[in-house]
Amino acid sequence: MTFNDTQTPFRSIQMRARAAIVVVIALSPALALATSTGLNNIPTADTPGHREVVFQGFVNLTDEKSDDQFAGFKTGLHSSEHRFEWGLDTRLGDNDPRVAVFQAKYAVQPWETLPTVAVGAANMAVTPSDRDKVGQPFKFLVLTQDFGWLRGHAGYGFQQNNNAAFFGLDKTVTLFDRALMLRTDAIQIQDESQWLGSAGFIYFLQDNLAVESWVSQPFDNGKPTYTLKLNLIFKY
């Protein structure tokens, strides 16, 4: 989706902050991705705004292991109809490998009424030893379509021994004169052996401050994971 003149609820979010959403799946270490803009657990064709930087801190809470803590940033650059994103993040826990992983994305909407197309890669560690700790890169192709009353997303990710189809929906409403996005998604995990579903929201407390939270639940087996995240958005 490009930033054009079409007016939808989500356009107001883009104009106010161009939200940055995390892609983190704690249940599968190979899918602990860098913070590519997306919904709860999937990437989308969205990117931060031109010369916007988003600083993020977030935590995953689960009964199955100690809490996962992360910090990172991402930024966007636009050139005509082309949009770029890059960023990095790392785990902060005392028992976690403190490895910086990078992510990058390119998005374009060739025809205004058709979906925005994005290609990217996340969880990109620099050295072989770092990749042994955090897993291989996750490369993806994703389509995002704005239907007016809601938006849909669908794509496929490529990762060694962990390919994954994914899809999601989001809907934006106004709460106390601020944008509230409700969102849900599903992605294959554990090398396509089961699906992980999620539901959550992002709410803009101020133009440069957003809070988000969601719950993720495997379809077949596994306990839920709860994620809480804070976004600080600045223009440079």
Side-chain angles (χ1 to χ4, degrees), residues 163-177:
N163 292 341
F166 56 84
F167 62 89
L169 299 169
D170 68 68
K171 169 70 174 178
T172 300
V173 297
T174 300
L175 180 65
F176 302 121
D177 295 323

Side-chain angles (χ1 to χ4, degrees), residues 103-156:
Q103 63 92 2
K105 182 193 297 183
Y106 166 70
V108 64
Q109 187 178 23
W111 298 277
E112 184 175 341
T113 59
L114 296 181
T116 301
V117 181
V119 293
N123 203 55
M124 295 186 291
V126 176
T127 67
S129 62
D130 285 347
R131 289 191 289 274
D132 289 339
K133 297 175 183 177
V134 301
Q136 296 300 310
F138 182 84
K139 294 168 280 188
F140 59 85
L141 168 68
V142 60
L143 305 177
T144 291
Q145 177 66 51
D146 192 334
F147 298 103
W149 55 286
L150 59 70
R151 298 196 312 153
H153 317 269
Y156 197 83

Side-chain angles (χ1 to χ4, degrees), residues 149-229:
W149 55 286
L150 59 70
R151 298 196 312 153
H153 317 269
Y156 197 83
F158 304 88
Q159 188 177 43
Q160 183 176 341
N161 300 321
N162 216 5
N163 292 341
F166 56 84
F167 62 89
L169 299 169
D170 68 68
K171 169 70 174 178
T172 300
V173 297
T174 300
L175 180 65
F176 302 121
D177 295 323
R178 291 288 178 177
L180 169 67
M181 178 197 282
L182 307 175
R183 61 202 191 187
T184 183
D185 58 40
I187 185 170
Q188 290 178 310
I189 60 173
Q190 299 166 353
D191 199 17
E192 300 179 307
S193 64
Q194 71 167 322
W195 286 82
L196 178 74
S198 74
F201 69 90
I202 177 170
Y203 183 63
F204 286 85
L205 301 173
Q206 298 178 359
D207 287 351
N208 65 340
L209 176 63
V211 62
E212 55 189 296
S213 183
W214 66 88
V215 58
S216 304
Q217 174 66 58
F219 284 13
D220 297 329
N221 58 76
K223 294 185 178 181
T225 297
Y226 302 90
T227 302
L228 179 64
K229 184 164 174 284

Side-chain angles (χ1 to χ4, degrees), residues 20-26 28-46 56 58 60 70 74 85 89 91 101-103 105 121-123 138 140 142 159 164 166 183 185 187 196 212 214 216 227 229 231:
I21 317 297
V22 70
V23 180
V24 176
I25 302 175
S28 177
L31 277 174
L33 308 181
T35 55
S36 180
T37 302
L39 297 186
N40 302 325
N41 294 322
I42 71 167
T44 67
D46 299 328
Q56 303 173 308
F58 48 103
N60 289 331
F70 300 82
K74 73 185 73 177
E85 169 184 318
D89 75 331
R91 291 176 181 261
V101 289
F102 294 84
Q103 63 92 2
K105 182 193 297 183
N123 203 55
F138 182 84
F140 59 85
V142 60
Q159 188 177 43
F166 56 84
R183 61 202 191 187
D185 58 40
I187 185 170
L196 178 74
E212 55 189 296
W214 66 88
S216 304
T227 302
K229 184 164 174 284
N231 302 282

Side-chain angles (χ1 to χ4, degrees), residues 11-20 47-49 52-54 202 204 206-210 233-234:
R11 293 292 193 274
S12 65
I13 293 181
Q14 292 173 322
M15 295 303 293
R16 293 160 73 178
R18 277 81 168 191
T47 63
E52 283 185 344
V53 59
V54 184
I202 177 170
F204 286 85
Q206 298 178 359
D207 287 351
N208 65 340
L209 176 63
I233 306 121
F234 299 96

